Amino acid sequence: MSCLFCRIVVGEIPAAKVYEDDELLAFKDIHPKAPLHLLIIPKEHIESMAALEDRHAPLMGRMMVLAQRLAAENGSPEGFRTVVNTGRVGRQEVYHLHMHLLGGPEPLGSSASF
Ligand code: AMP
Ligand code: ZN
């Protein structure tokens, strides 16, 4: 299996997991750009937002709902930023769909922008 995030899903590569259910996994970004920087991923290998199908709509909805819950539970109750980079133009580096969740106790600095 060559996909980095698929290997994290199955436990072949360690990650600082903060949430897991049947469909979703959230873990700390290895190079955080904000006091709180999590990645929320589907366990299913979907390359990017460009590969989404109609059947993925509920899954994407769950990712959004989970983002606000994890922000509140992890020290960012007063707001956060979500980013999904897509494809070459979107500067996507890891081709397994992921949502960046950036937050912290204070307003984010420019290093938290993408
Ligand atoms: P993107 O540019 O949206 O594809 O971002 C990929 C993100 O994955 C970057 O913010 C990396 O720091 C992060 N990343 C890469 N490898 C790992 C890893 N092993 N564990 C956690 N985060 C990672
Ligand atoms: Zn994958």
Side-chain angles (χ1 to χ4, degrees), residues 9 52 62 65 85 93 101 105:
V9 168
L52 288 177
R62 270 176 234 126
V65 174
N85 297 323
E93 288 173 6
L101 170 60

Side-chain angles (χ1 to χ4, degrees), residues 3 5-6 45 96:
C3 172
F5 287 176
C6 281
H45 180 82
H96 180 128

